[in-house]
Amino acid sequence: MKTKTTFFCTECGNETAKWSGKCPACGAWNTLVESEKARGGSSVRPAAVHRPKPQRLDEVDTLEEARFTTGISEFDRVLGGGAVRGSMVLIGGAPGIGKSTLLMQMCGKLNGEKIMYVSGEESQRQLKMRAQRLGVNGGELYILPETRLGEILDCADELKPDVMIVDSVQTLYNSDISSAPGSVSQVRECTMSIMQMSKSSGITTFVVGHINKDGAIAGPKVLEHMVDCVLYFEGERTLSHRILRAAKNRFGSTNEIGVFEMLDNGLREVENPSEMLLSGRPVNIPGTCVACVMEGSRPILAEIQALVTPSTYSSPRRNSNGIDYNRSYLLMAVIEKRGGLSVSNCDMYLNVIGGLELDEPAADLATVLAIASSHLDRPVGSDVAAVGEIGLTGEIRAVNSLEQRLKEVARLGFKRCVVPAHIRGELRAPDGLELMPVRSVREAIASVLY
């Protein structure tokens, strides 16, 4: 059978007949790669093929529970309350971060479910050794070290598992495609075939995907549009804690996170992330302040550290880790203009302890206080937390879920909390917590650092 060469974009999946330096659909540069497809296929559907019939919405039965628990509460939280029957979940992360460990531990906690674990990277003996190290018993767990897509689909059709795990999708290959395993065309076609099987058979599928140097899942961007959930397993390899975050979830919120700690015998759930993130915090040291942010429905306390020093360069250096770089520049300008502190000629370094990414404006006030504390070389106070958004005129604006945040602040032993003076409705402070209402950046700096 003759084949014709086509090119498609690794960012948006757009397919073209000719190569060009710029994708005509999304405008990305140098993203068109070559693939081959069969020529001359008939577009007429055979009459013998079973065709699905449309069904009225009110006739769809929803009495049976479509979700089931994975046995790992932090995993269930990110999934939106558990895994959905017949769904496809893509889990991405850096090599060695713990993706395979998480899924193997899930296999040990799924009671009454028939599981098929497909591994293209490990042998049966290696899988057995890892299961023993994690304390996972056999049960209804079937392992299949295979990379050929056709063999995997045949085994799944014969075994009829409830849950299937593919580790990883970059190792699979379809013999009908001439490109090498891991190429964009192979990853796309293999994922599409697995998704069709998952939807038609009602098999819940977890697929592991590697990430590229940009931090995105390797392969075409359309890969993330195929699946129901896209989860990222994040964390520094030199640190013990890991964060599971949802980038896409058709059955739940994308704001929830799950926190784990990597131990010798596997991952341990961290039910109270705030205590872990604040452990080892320096006491009465300038340049640090605690913020309370909302990750989904859960308040989490995070320590923001700042280092401000006079610059020896004509253009001061600025670096931000865990806080948006442009947002940090905005806050520095507000401090300079509205806070009365001359920081424009200083080098500034920001860091959020624990690897959290704080994209919520409620962390603005704590960030400003940490910067001002380092610049003035005066400690904020180890018993002080701050919650509030900052506007361009220097005002402190109200944030949502303030009472819930204050309860978490008080629970962890903080005695004072800097909050916006303008709040919606009546605010009741928890027992033992003193509120410090402020209206502007200048007032906040004066009330804490002077």
Side-chain angles (χ1 to χ4, degrees):
M1 179 181 294
K2 294 183 179 181
T3 60
K4 68 175 181 178
T5 301
T6 59
F7 300 87
F8 62 90
C9 178
T10 59
E11 290 293 327
C12 65
N14 179 61
E15 191 170 312
T16 60
K18 296 181 180 180
W19 185 90
S20 62
K22 182 178 180 181
C23 174
C26 66
W29 287 91
N30 298 323
T31 58
L32 293 182
V33 295
E34 182 179 350
S35 67
E36 293 181 351
K37 63 189 297 185
R39 184 198 298 259
S42 174
S43 60
V44 180
R45 299 176 182 174
V49 176
H50 173 71
R51 298 177 183 175
K53 296 182 179 180
Q55 187 177 4
R56 287 180 56 182
L57 180 63
D58 54 4
E59 295 177 355
V60 178
D61 184 16
T62 58
L63 296 179
E64 295 184 3
E65 179 60 44
R67 292 187 184 268
F68 66 94
T69 176
T70 63
I72 305 176
S73 59
E74 292 293 305
F75 199 4
D76 291 337
R77 176 191 294 271
V78 180
L79 289 173
V84 177
R85 298 282 182 187
S87 64
M88 189 171 182
V89 181
L90 179 62
I91 301 178
I97 204 68
K99 305 182 296 295
S100 302
T101 300
L102 175 65
L103 293 175
M104 182 61 77
Q105 288 187 220
M106 182 192 71
C107 293
K109 296 181 180 294
L110 284 175
N111 298 322
E113 305 285 344
K114 185 184 292 186
I115 309 168
M116 188 173 80
Y117 195 113
V118 181
S119 177
E121 302 175 347
E122 297 177 280
S123 64
Q124 291 178 337
R125 186 180 298 273
Q126 290 173 325
L127 289 171
K128 176 69 173 180
M129 292 173 60
R130 183 154 58 88
Q132 289 178 340
R133 179 176 62 86
L134 299 176
V136 177
N137 299 322
E140 288 292 308
L141 175 59
Y142 298 83
I143 57 177
L144 177 66
E146 183 60 71
T147 58
R148 293 172 295 178
L149 178 64
E151 296 294 331
I152 294 172
L153 297 180
D154 290 342
C155 290
D157 185 60
E158 180 181 351
L159 183 63
K160 291 181 171 50
D162 301 310
V163 177
M164 186 172 75
I165 298 171
V166 180
D167 186 9
S168 65
V169 70
Q170 277 83 8
T171 61
L172 304 186
Y173 74 93
N174 187 347
S175 57
D176 296 334
I177 302 176
S178 60
S179 58
S183 63
V184 176
S185 56
Q186 285 283 6
V187 170
R188 182 178 64 172
E189 296 301 326
C190 290
T191 304
M192 178 63 72
S193 299
I194 294 174
M195 184 198 67
Q196 291 175 349
M197 181 210 64
S198 176
K199 299 297 183 182
S200 61
S201 304
I203 300 175
T204 305
T205 307
F206 295 88
V207 178
V208 175
H210 298 307
I211 63 173
N212 53 29
K213 61 182 181 180
D214 297 326
I217 294 177
K221 196 67 176 177
V222 71
L223 190 68
E224 299 185 3
H225 299 286
M226 295 181 186
V227 300
D228 299 308
C229 300
V230 179
L231 309 181
Y232 282 95
F233 211 35
E234 305 169 348
E236 298 290 338
R237 296 186 62 180
T238 56
L239 302 178
S240 61
H241 57 270
R242 305 285 188 266
I243 297 176
L244 184 65
R245 189 186 305 273
K248 171 188 175 181
N249 192 353
R250 289 175 176 162
F251 312 112
S253 173
T254 58
N255 296 323
E256 298 286 355
I257 66 170
V259 184
F260 300 86
E261 183 180 7
M262 179 64 79
L263 304 175
D264 294 337
N265 58 349
L267 292 165
R268 181 183 68 87
E269 299 179 64
V270 178
E271 298 180 356
N272 193 347
S274 299
E275 290 184 356
M276 181 195 71
L277 294 173
L278 295 180
S279 61
R281 178 170 173 255
V283 179
N284 292 328
I285 299 297
T288 176
C289 187
V290 172
C292 185
V293 297
M294 296 295 295
E295 291 289 351
S297 59
R298 178 166 58 179
I300 294 180
L301 268 63
E303 179 188 355
I304 301 175
Q305 290 187 348
L307 179 61
V308 180
T309 59
S311 179
T312 58
Y313 304 94
S314 58
S315 178
R317 300 185 61 182
R318 307 286 164 80
N319 189 14
S320 178
N321 183 26
I323 295 176
D324 182 67
Y325 185 73
N326 295 324
R327 189 73 179 178
S328 65
Y329 261 89
L330 183 149
L331 296 178
M332 289 280 286
V334 172
I335 294 174
E336 178 86 19
K337 183 72 174 180
R338 307 297 180 187
L341 300 181
S342 179
V343 294
S344 59
N345 58 346
C346 296
D347 295 336
M348 187 271 295
Y349 305 90
L350 283 175
N351 182 40
V352 180
I353 300 300
L356 278 180
E357 295 288 338
L358 304 185
D359 54 358
E360 190 183 11
D364 289 352
L365 184 54
T367 304
V368 165
L369 290 179
I371 295 173
S373 172
S374 178
H375 179 71
L376 297 173
D377 202 24
R378 298 175 185 173
V380 172
S382 58
D383 62 342
V384 177
V387 179
E389 179 184 356
I390 293 179
L392 292 180
T393 61
E395 81 279 10
I396 309 298
R397 307 183 71 90
V399 298
N400 61 347
S401 306
L402 185 55
E403 286 194 10
Q404 191 175 354
R405 299 174 198 258
L406 295 178
K407 290 179 181 178
E408 181 71 7
V409 170
R411 189 182 67 84
L412 290 179
F414 288 85
K415 303 300 182 184
R416 296 177 294 166
C417 186
V418 185
V419 297
H422 303 286
I423 57 175
R424 305 181 185 92
E426 183 180 356
L427 180 64
R428 292 177 294 179
D431 295 336
L433 182 65
E434 177 189 354
L435 300 185
M436 304 172 63
V438 294
R439 291 179 172 80
S440 64
V441 170
R442 188 183 295 269
E443 185 179 345
I445 296 175
S447 62
V448 176
L449 299 175
Y450 290 104

